[in-house]
């Protein structure tokens, strides 16, 4: 691992490790997440979507470049803010939108909703409404990878707030003593609900907790696709080589509220926090990619248009899909 | 703001009634502290100094940090086991903590302080500890919150010796029972149906307590007893209303305390009516509803004119899709169809 | 060592029967892994290389690490939430983990993986996950282990949709049910009464399964049905023996699976006998015993000659002092006294 | 705090901070624990005591010099291995022995037993059968101390094994962000049951985990009364002065098995571990105390004799005490 892993300042890009094909897919998926989320937000405001909806918008540069480096048989665990992880891991937008609409054609037949979208066949082990609930699951998936010697690895996404749950402690300790192929990715967006991370966590950074588990820890600018790609890429490499787990803290920020309806009075209106909030990872990446010749402006235009079309199509699909049948209430409790 | 006269009942929402009970009790008893996630919110944010960002994820504790400060309205990290256990430790040393478990579905993150520690402490210590502790939490489906945020688990807590469990149904019962809990030297779990928060009702401004362990006969009747828990009161009343058309007189009892539940009131009722339906939104197995049915079927065996019916959620997690969720929650229609024989007999008897 | 012939039943202890089931299943299915505290013991101690120090705190998993190695018999740190959650994650990705929760009293440290995650996963995912997971744990008073190590909490787990719960009573049922659980694509909690470990019984050497969800009629009878859970079988048999002297013929049913419990067998029995006593060592409220009583009182209402009695532990934690602990556990004497009316009537009827 | 707080090697005594009166009381209580434990062991072997019994013998130099620096209104939380903490905090031997015998005169009326001996009036919040169960309780007691401004502090005893429970993580984080008056004392005896700490914990020491909670951490030779007294004394001082929590790891060793009946095959038969095991804190402290004039050999003889007599008396008291009444089965569930 580079020294960035233990450095206190976000790493900066030193070159481009991202192949052009990957860069295009990354850009497409970042757009898919943003467009999908904006659409969900719009339909939630119209009252078409019920329940709790936690949007990932603004954090695309975390999940997407990480999942780009995973195969379908690698697993990820997710959070209540899971739409982004789903898209990044390759879940179908149609099935996702239908799920959020509670339709029979949803990825979970409409029985899970926003907080539980899953597609195990894609290695997406489910959005998870329990904060900290995904960490032990990731340890288990990684244990399976170790025992069955499949070469698969597991990426565990969790928030800065989740890092104060006991499951964080137990899971990192277990993964370390068993040297499991897992990468713990903390999405530090500065808040757990309305509570700042700097109040809730005794340690200034989450990354520095890695040393308590004898594993490498690093911080990275979570708005930079390249930084995330590179640093987490090294951790993924470590995991694949059987060198054990790592903890990477990605500094990011929610574009919207904790959930839809949140007035966000706790967000800074000026200063460093506001400046960081205003950095948008999507145009930043486009600019970088075009400048470094990963794709052209024309490619970008095409990708953007196609993404909008996909999301429109997903919405149509969801809206036209049937509700689940009454019988399905009783199904799927046991195999 | 509204009526200020002592003894005057104003119309308050369920959540405001809870808020008022907390504030009134905290003014008189400095040992009462609140602990939980975002009870105030925004702790440490400069432009919010002294003000909460949220006042609870559902706004129930709004304004309390402004009045009582951050030492008594304590925002916690997301560490349910830690702060619930801290509440037990503080209670054992003389405080009266009121931890909030945002959703009772998170019980899996903080059961030991209740099951392993708090509920057993006084017993294990031979009576040499008191646990004045009021756990506030929420239950219930109907908010499209899906399987991990919609469960009804008061029955799981009611199964534990050493814990009392209260389930209010209206703003009036919420305030009176919460004030009673805040005077109890024991662990009381106060479980609020999240879909009731905006419901309104008359609530006296001054402090009053409702006895924990006492059910309320909301409506007297002669032919059938319906026992309800929490929000199911309104389902029970709807059923009673529908049966009235057939000349059936229904006694509706709001259980209010699910542990220890009020055997006396229920027995008196069944001795009069001979028939009982219990409506409990929890999953069916090992539920409070079944507990009551088992005990009343035993102790009132000779008075029973029909088997006791328990209407509950199905034996499944809570589904997300709104149409399924609606089928999940016991409804008047479900009660009428699950108790169809009993009701048919009653109707026939009335007609005869 | 003992008999080697296929189909031959040897006398084995309850703990050895469990050990044998684990070993046999692990030989055939490499996805089965065991996780828990000191299942082997002494991990990392040079002079114990490849050998376990303990083989489980009560010796149940002795010898397994020697045969299957440390990758499949995994000693965990004291991190119940971590390894129980890991078991769920491993199950969802194709393993069949067998986590051991040393005492079911520690449920407060690892409930979320069961309540919040595992039991709901398949449902929330619309049927797109399978959870082959067998949780072994222990329950029961009688070992002077006091309030935090003697509880009986299978009822709490049986209340959760999506979890099956099995309580074996003998070495024979333990082996057959555990082998069945190890073939199930669902979460099965296998709860062992710790005071039964040294009890002996006949056990075939080869693999066999007993159907999960099926009760066993241990002794047929015509006048009274006694339903027992786990160790309570022996209390039930003792009661039956005593009643025999008065000419009362008792059907004794060993429930074996407490969720889903075998309604069919119980209904058939009560239709024959008209009287039922259920013996469940758990605390009374919201117990499996009361669940059964409520349901059977309803569905077999017309067959009941007497109220169904549930004999259970009192509504208290488990006391340490041996004399109190003895009073805590349901005994034949307690059954006879709590069901005195029912038995008096039966005796009178026999004499008449 | 001294640099020992962050040093990786056990601190050594640099002088004597212990007043002579304290030294005598410490020596008496260490003897009380040892004699009490040996008596319990003997009576357990004879079958007079049922249940699980976890002996503290060998670890006396941890609890005693710490509790010597506490008042009756300071609180401690304890573990399944709680006899030593009880004696150190001033619980009566008669009531303790009667409790272990399950008699009506026991500190808990015979209803708690070895694993639950408590005396809240002495600030002893109970032995605790749940590993890691005491940590959050200590946070709560300390919160009470802070809120009521009583000046009391809380000491939380827990084992190396408990440090892998989520409650460790959550409790240290809470205590730190709230700057509570609590001292976390890890009794690292090398094992959790039969599992070595070096296998179960990813971090080589427990003390180094303190930095994850932004609090001072130190290791100390838990067989040295003086080292424990001094280092924990500084942490107690910190707590009393409102400077927040500390974590002290005391290296110690069980004289006997995890519980009575344990064959202890996992213990080393030679080498460093064996050498450390063989160091007995009681004669070591006597030697030190006599040499430094804290008390005389004659004082020591008297203390030893009196201790033996106290334990004999406690046993008589227990054996002659009545069983709890049948009614008491139903009492003390609620206040
Ligand atoms: C066990 C549990 N506790 C509390 C909650 C309520 N809750 C939902 S999201 C959230 C904040 C999570 O913060 P963080 O982990 O930082 O993730 P973010 O929302 O910032 O992405 C909380 C407290 C929950 N869902 N589960
Ligand atoms: C929550 C919980 N998990 C497991 C156990 C079983 N158990 C009792 S003592 C013990 C070992 C504790 O080790 P440590 O914390 O180092 O304390 P020590 O016994 O060494 O003093 C274990 C695993 C328990 N009592 N509680
Ligand atoms: Mg966050
Ligand atoms: Mg230890």
């Amino acid at each position: 691992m580079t020294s960035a892993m233990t450095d206190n300042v976000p790493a900066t890009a030193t070159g481009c490790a991202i192949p052009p094909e990957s860069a295009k897919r990354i850009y497409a998926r970042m757009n898919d997440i943003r467009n999908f989320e904006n659409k969900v937000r719009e339909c939630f405001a119209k009252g078409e979507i019920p329940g709790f909806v936690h949007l990932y918008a603004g954090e695309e540069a975390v999940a997407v470049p990480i999942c780009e480096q995973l195969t379908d048989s690698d697993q990820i665990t997710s959070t209540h803010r899971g739409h982004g992880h789903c898209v990044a891991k390759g879940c179908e937008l149609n099935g996702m939108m239908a799920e959020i609409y509670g339709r029979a054609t949803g990825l979970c037949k409409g029985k899970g909703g926003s907080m539980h979208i899953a597609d195990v066949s894609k290695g997406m082990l489910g959005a998870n409404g329990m904060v900290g609930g995904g960490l032990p699951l990731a340890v288990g998936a990684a244990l399976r990878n170790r025992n069955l010697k499949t070469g698969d690895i597991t990426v565990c996404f969790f928030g800065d707030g989740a890092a104060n749950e006991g499951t964080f402690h137990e899971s990192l300790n277990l993964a370390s003593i068993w040297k499991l192929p897992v990468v713990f990715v903390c999405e530090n967006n500065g808040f757990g609900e309305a509570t700042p991370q700097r109040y809730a966590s005794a340690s200034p950074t989450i990354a520095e907790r890695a040393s308590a588990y004898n594993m490498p820890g690093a911080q990275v600018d979570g708005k930079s696709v390249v930084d995330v790609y590179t640093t987490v890429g090294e951790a993924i490499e470590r995991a694949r080589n059987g060198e054990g787990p790592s903890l990477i803290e990605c500094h990011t920020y929610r574009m919207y509220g904790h959930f839809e309806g949140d007035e966000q009075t706790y967000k800074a209106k000026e200063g460093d926090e506001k400046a960081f909030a205003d950095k948008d990872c999507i145009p930043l990446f486009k600019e970088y990619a075009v400048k470094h010749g990963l794709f052209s402006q024309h490619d970008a235009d095409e990708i953007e248009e196609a993404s909008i079309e996909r999301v429109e199509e997903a919405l149509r699909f969801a809206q036209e899909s049937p509700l689940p049948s009454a019988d399905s209430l009783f199904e799927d409790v046991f195999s | 703001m509204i009526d200020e006269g002592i003894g005057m009942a104003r119309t308050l929402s369920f959540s405001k009634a809870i808020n008022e009970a907390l504030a009134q009790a905290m003014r008189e008893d400095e040992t009462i502290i609140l602990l939980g996630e975002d009870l105030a919110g925004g702790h440490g944010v400069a432009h919010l100094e002294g003000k909460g960002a949220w006042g609870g994820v559902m706004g129930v504790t709004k304004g309390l940090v402004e009045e009582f400060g951050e030492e008594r309205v304590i925002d916690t990290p997301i560490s349910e086991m830690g702060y619930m256990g801290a509440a037990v430790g503080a209670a054992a040393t003389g405080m009266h903590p009121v931890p909030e478990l945002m959703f009772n579905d998170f019980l899996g993150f903080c059961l030991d302080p209740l099951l392993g520690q708090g509920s057993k402490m006084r017993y294990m210590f031979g009576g040499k500890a008191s646990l004045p502790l009021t756990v506030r939490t929420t239950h219930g489906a109907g908010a499209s919150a899906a399987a991990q945020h919609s469960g009804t688990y008061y029955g799981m807590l009611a199964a534990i010796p050493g814990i009392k469990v209260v389930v209010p149904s209206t703003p009036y019962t919420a305030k009176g029972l919460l004030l009673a809990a805040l005077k109890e030297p024991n662990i009381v779990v106060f479980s609020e149906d999240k879909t009731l928060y905006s419901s309104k009702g008359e609530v006296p401004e001054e402090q009053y307590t409702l006895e924990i362990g006492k059910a309320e006969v909301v409506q007297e009747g002669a032919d059938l007893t319906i026992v309800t828990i929490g929000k199911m009161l309104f389902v029970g009343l709807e059923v009673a209303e529908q049966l009235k058309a057939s000349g059936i007189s229904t006694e509706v009892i709001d259980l209010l305390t699910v542990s220890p539940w009020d055997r006396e009131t229920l027995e008196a009722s069944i001795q009069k009516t001979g028939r009982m339906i219990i409506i409990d939104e929890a999953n069916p197995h090992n539920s409070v509803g079944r507990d009551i049915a088992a005990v009343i079927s035993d102790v009132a065996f000779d008075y029973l004119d029909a088997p006791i019916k328990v209407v509950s959620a199905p034996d499944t997690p809570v589904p997300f899709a709104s149409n399924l969720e609606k089928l999940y929650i016991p409804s008047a229609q479900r009660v009428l169809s699950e108790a169809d024989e009993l009701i048919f007999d009653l109707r026939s008897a009335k007609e005869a």
Side-chain angles (χ1 to χ4, degrees), chain A, chain B:
Chain A
M1 295 224 153
T2 67
S3 62
M5 290 294 286
T6 48
D7 220 337
N8 246 18
V9 291
T12 48
T14 52
C16 195
I18 310 179
E21 273 319 299
S22 286
K24 277 193 222 161
R25 207 158 32 226
I26 287 172
Y27 190 62
R29 287 199 164 152
M30 290 176 80
N31 273 278
D32 281 357
I33 295 175
R34 182 68 57 88
N35 293 325
F36 187 89
E37 297 269 80
N38 282 335
K39 190 57 79 184
V40 167
R41 189 170 144 82
E42 189 187 311
C43 298
F44 181 88
K46 283 194 287 188
E48 286 188 18
I49 296 172
F52 298 140
V53 170
H54 306 86
L55 299 181
Y56 194 77
E59 308 188 5
E60 293 88 347
V62 180
V64 179
I66 293 173
C67 293
E68 176 61 26
Q69 300 175 75
L70 302 179
T71 69
D72 273 3
S73 61
D74 291 327
Q75 310 94 358
I76 65 168
T77 62
S78 171
T79 68
H80 54 288
R81 201 174 299 291
H83 305 167
H85 307 131
C86 287
V87 174
K89 198 67 178 42
C91 296
E92 295 297 333
L93 299 186
N94 287 8
M96 283 182 61
M97 191 66 90
E99 188 57 37
I100 292 171
Y101 266 75
R103 302 300 163 108
T105 54
L107 279 179
C108 306
K109 300 187 193 159
K111 291 162 77 170
S114 165
M115 257 191 296
H116 307 299
I117 305 182
D119 190 345
V120 178
S121 73
K122 289 269 167 44
M124 163 61 199
L125 302 182
N128 200 320
M130 299 298 183
V131 171
L135 287 128
L137 302 183
V139 171
L143 193 60
R144 169 259 183 207
N145 297 338
R146 180 197 78 175
N147 268 46
L148 300 187
K149 300 187 179 39
T150 56
D152 301 324
I153 69 146
T154 309
V155 173
C156 172
F157 293 101
F158 63 100
D160 51 289
N164 297 318
E165 286 280 17
T167 53
F168 168 87
H169 179 64
E170 297 187 12
S171 299
L172 270 74
N173 190 57
L174 291 177
S176 178
I177 68 165
W178 294 334
K179 253 190 155 199
L180 297 181
V182 53
V183 181
F184 295 100
V185 175
C186 180
E187 304 181 311
N188 184 350
N189 56 14
F191 295 92
E193 293 189 348
T195 295
Q197 182 257 332
R198 65 177 179 281
Y199 162 70
S201 300
S203 65
T205 70
I206 307 301
E208 70 194 89
R209 292 185 175 174
S211 75
Y213 312 105
N214 205 12
M215 68 172 75
Q219 295 180 78
V220 64
D221 176 357
K223 298 242 184 166
S224 162
V225 167
V226 179
D227 286 5
V228 171
Y229 187 93
T230 311
T231 306
V232 181
E234 288 169 32
I236 289 173
E237 211 45 38
R238 254 180 69 82
R240 282 215 203 280
N241 293 338
E243 294 165 54
S246 313
L247 169 63
I248 319 283
E249 176 177 11
C250 300
H251 292 280
T252 182
Y253 206 82
R254 292 189 240 108
M255 181 166 277
Y256 303 123
H258 167 63
F259 42 33
E260 284 306 276
D262 175 8
E263 290 174 18
Q264 310 171 59
T265 58
Y266 49 83
K267 285 188 173 176
K269 278 144 200 81
E270 56 195 19
D272 289 354
E273 183 186 321
K274 180 73 167 80
F276 185 64
D278 288 344
K279 272 173 61 174
D280 186 339
C281 59
I282 298 184
L284 275 176
F285 180 56
K286 170 161 72 176
E287 196 181 312
Y288 175 94
V290 171
K291 189 161 138 205
H292 286 72
L294 296 176
F295 51 74
S296 66
Q297 177 64 47
H298 177 75
D299 291 335
D301 292 344
E302 278 187 2
I303 288 170
E304 288 165 24
E305 253 172 71
S307 173
I308 286 177
E309 185 39 46
R310 271 195 298 278
V311 171
E312 290 293 346
E313 159 58 19
L315 181 64
R316 265 194 306 277
F317 177 79
Q319 288 171 330
E320 290 167 7
S321 288
L323 295 176
S325 72
D327 282 352
S328 74
L329 172 61
F330 305 101
E331 294 164 1
D332 302 322
V333 178
F334 290 110
S335 291
Chain B
M1 304 278 188
I2 326 184
D3 302 18
E4 295 271 307
I6 294 280
M8 211 64 121
R10 300 94 8 104
T11 293
L12 282 191
S13 69
F14 192 79
S15 63
K16 189 70 186 84
I18 292 168
N19 182 291
E20 183 169 276
L22 291 171
Q24 290 179 340
M26 288 178 81
R27 276 175 212 134
E28 291 183 2
D29 180 354
E30 68 156 8
T31 69
I32 298 177
I33 52 173
L34 315 186
L35 298 111
E37 292 155 18
D38 294 294
L39 292 184
H43 193 120
V45 172
H47 66 267
L48 290 175
E49 181 85 55
K51 286 190 297 220
W54 278 6
V57 72
M58 285 168 280
V60 179
T61 47
K62 229 188 191 70
L64 297 179
V65 76
E66 286 82 346
E67 179 172 355
F68 300 102
E70 286 168 356
E71 290 220 341
R72 294 186 64 197
V73 179
I74 307 175
D75 275 353
T76 66
I78 312 175
S79 305
E80 290 83 6
M81 190 89 151
Y83 74 76
M84 193 64 76
V88 172
T93 53
M95 303 294 284
H96 190 129
V98 186
E100 174 185 288
L101 182 64
M102 198 186 289
F103 293 85
N104 71 0
D105 312 71
F106 307 161
L107 206 54
F109 285 82
C110 59
L111 184 61
D112 186 65
L114 299 171
L115 174 68
Q117 310 288 338
S119 67
K120 298 181 163 62
M121 204 178 261
R122 182 175 175 79
Y123 193 82
M124 296 190 300
F125 293 3
K128 290 181 189 150
S130 266
L131 271 289
L133 175 63
T134 306
V135 180
R136 287 184 48 245
T137 191
T138 67
H139 66 266
S144 295
Q148 291 180 332
H149 288 70
S150 306
T152 294
Y153 300 120
Y154 47 69
M156 210 174 253
L157 293 164
I160 304 172
I163 298 183
K164 301 188 182 187
V165 183
V166 162
V167 184
S169 53
T170 60
Y172 177 80
T173 55
K175 180 172 173 182
L177 286 165
L178 184 50
L179 281 168
L182 293 170
K183 294 204 162 62
E184 270 263 344
N186 295 300
I187 304 184
V188 179
V189 173
F190 187 85
S191 195
E192 305 160 14
D193 188 311
K194 64 177 89 67
T195 64
L196 286 178
Y197 281 133
S198 57
S199 69
K200 297 253 163 72
E202 301 244 304
V203 182
E205 181 157 353
E206 79 273 17
Q207 292 193 47
Y208 60 93
T209 57
L210 296 178
E211 193 184 333
I212 291 176
K214 199 93 200 79
E216 193 197 338
V217 180
V218 173
Q219 171 180 313
E220 297 206 7
D223 304 324
L224 165 68
T225 302
I226 294 185
V227 179
T228 65
I229 300 175
K231 183 174 69 172
M232 293 300 107
L233 169 61
F234 306 104
V235 178
L237 288 170
E238 197 184 328
V239 172
E241 190 57 33
Q242 294 195 26
L243 293 179
K244 210 170 159 187
S246 315
I248 297 172
S249 156
T250 306
E251 180 141 308
V252 179
I253 300 179
D254 183 359
L255 194 62
L256 294 174
T257 299
V258 301
S259 176
W261 53 264
D262 184 354
R263 189 173 134 178
E264 209 177 325
T265 299
L266 269 52
E267 251 190 282
S269 183
I270 192 116
Q271 286 177 9
K272 189 168 60 169
T273 64
R275 290 178 174 82
M276 184 178 279
I277 299 173
I278 304 156
I279 318 178
D280 179 357
E281 187 185 312
N283 293 119
H285 287 293
N286 310 348
S287 62
V288 175
R290 292 259 173 98
D291 195 61
I292 294 172
V295 173
I296 300 294
S297 292
D298 175 1
V299 299
F301 188 72
D302 294 333
Y303 294 94
L304 294 186
D305 294 321
I308 296 180
K309 290 284 168 190
V310 183
V311 180
S312 64
D315 196 17
T316 72
V318 183
F320 169 67
S322 302
N323 65 322
L324 298 183
E325 193 184 25
K326 207 168 276 168
L327 293 171
Y328 177 92
I329 305 170
S331 60
Q333 196 194 339
R334 268 261 305 287
V335 173
L336 292 170
S337 94
E338 289 190 26
D340 57 350
E341 255 188 77
L342 181 153
I343 288 164
F344 179 83
D345 289 350
L346 257 179
R347 281 207 175 105
S348 313
K350 286 287 156 185
E351 278 158 21

